[in-house]
Amino acid sequence: MCYDVTSRMVDGMSTVTRTRTGAPTPASALPRPRLDWRLRFAVLSLIWGFSFLLIKVGTDGYAPFQVTLGRLVFGTAVLAAAMAVKRERLPRGVRTWGHLAVAAFLLNALPFSLFAYAELSIPSTLAGICNATSPLWGMALSLVALSEDRPTRIRVAGLGLGFLGVLTVLGAWQGFHGLDVMGTLPALLASLSYPVGWIYVRRTLAGTGHSHLSMTGAQLLLATLQLAVVTPLFTSMSAHFALVPLLAVAALGALGTGLAVLIQYGLVAEVGPTTAQMVTYFIPVIATAAGVAVLGESLRWSTPVGAAVVLAGAALTQVRPKARAS
């Protein structure tokens, strides 16, 4: 669930497609979906905002690895169906699949598992706010790993402001009293894993010529296989299936992983990454509201205040300098 970083990285793959003859076709020339993009934007915000609630419900009946495996199975099934409808094929090449395996681990298997493990002990509201720090990690890493991302005063200020918000959420002025380190740290590491993965993708898989649907379908397939190997080693099958947690995992995979990815790429292609990535700033708000209203999670004043500071800092890190006129 990395949103602004994902939108920027897939922009290059989404703005141009190819006809059957191989000629490039601008995305603006493609037929637009019937559903208005604002409505799809709202749906995507709700789906991803409620994902943290679904993880929490899922972990009530199943182990974190089992929740992640189920999520990936249902998500992969949705993308496989979309590929079948559009007659897309999986990418070819051993090197491409090798890079996709690394991307699958960094962007799916690892962060999904870390969030599921984190929500064993922390509220879904805190997990959603931790996820909002991903743009901050992404900006910090891009300054080191991507030479084209030059630091500006505004972006550096946003980085500092964002991490000040993180300290507010965690209650630093109280010496982090009451903080569940074993739950919060995995959530923060999960949010860090997303930009690391997308920087890797940008360096290794940009310009491969494959469609975003084909690449993402292969990536989710590989992540599913990774979890299928790991899950039996660390978990055991329960004697009975908990129905409500199972339905939560199914919704998390089919909607939060499969359908959401399709909606996201469509938004990037239609309105561009800058507008599409704004979904990032609605997710923690929805996650917090859902956790409090549905699950009855408690909320201290520092949580929403810190979250607002985090989002403000994250927004500043996305400010780009205007291109000079030629």
Side-chain angles (χ1 to χ4, degrees), residues 97-254:
W97 279 89
H99 290 313
L100 282 172
V102 178
F105 175 75
L106 293 172
L107 293 173
N108 303 113
L110 179 61
F112 290 178
S113 299
L114 287 173
F115 272 123
Y117 177 80
E119 292 199 40
L120 288 176
S121 55
I122 66 172
S124 64
T125 54
L126 180 56
I129 293 171
C130 287
N131 181 79
T133 64
S134 191
L136 304 177
W137 299 119
M139 185 264 184
L141 290 172
S142 66
L143 295 180
V144 177
L146 300 175
S147 59
E148 63 269 28
D149 276 348
R150 299 297 182 183
T152 63
R153 291 181 179 178
I154 293 179
R155 299 183 70 196
V156 172
L159 186 63
L161 183 64
F163 284 112
L164 178 62
V166 173
L167 294 177
T168 303
V169 171
L170 302 181
W173 72 93
Q174 297 176 335
F176 303 104
H177 177 70
L179 176 66
D180 190 328
V181 178
M182 296 304 294
T184 306
L185 184 59
L188 291 173
L189 290 176
S191 69
L192 171 62
S193 180
Y194 288 124
V196 172
W198 279 111
I199 288 175
Y200 179 84
V201 168
R202 186 169 178 176
R203 285 181 172 274
T204 60
L205 291 170
T208 58
H210 301 290
S211 71
H212 67 267
L213 179 59
S214 173
M215 297 286 280
T216 307
Q219 180 181 307
L220 283 183
L221 175 61
L222 289 170
T224 304
L225 295 176
Q226 291 170 0
L227 262 295
V229 172
V230 171
T231 301
L233 300 178
F234 294 94
T235 63
S236 58
M237 292 294 294
S238 58
H240 65 282
F241 289 96
L243 180 58
V244 173
L246 180 61
L247 293 176
V249 172
L252 179 65

Side-chain angles (χ1 to χ4, degrees), residues 244-263:
V244 173
L246 180 61
L247 293 176
V249 172
L252 179 65
L255 300 178
T257 303
L259 179 62
V261 167
L262 298 177
I263 295 175

Side-chain angles (χ1 to χ4, degrees), residues 59-86:
T59 55
D60 286 340
Y62 300 99
F65 280 139
Q66 293 172 337
V67 171
T68 304
L69 176 59
R71 174 182 187 173
L72 288 168
V73 167
F74 285 105
T76 303
V78 171
L79 288 189
M83 290 178 63
V85 170
K86 296 187 177 183

Side-chain angles (χ1 to χ4, degrees), residues 312-323:
L316 290 177
T317 64
Q318 306 307 307
V319 175
R320 303 283 170 176
K322 295 181 179 181

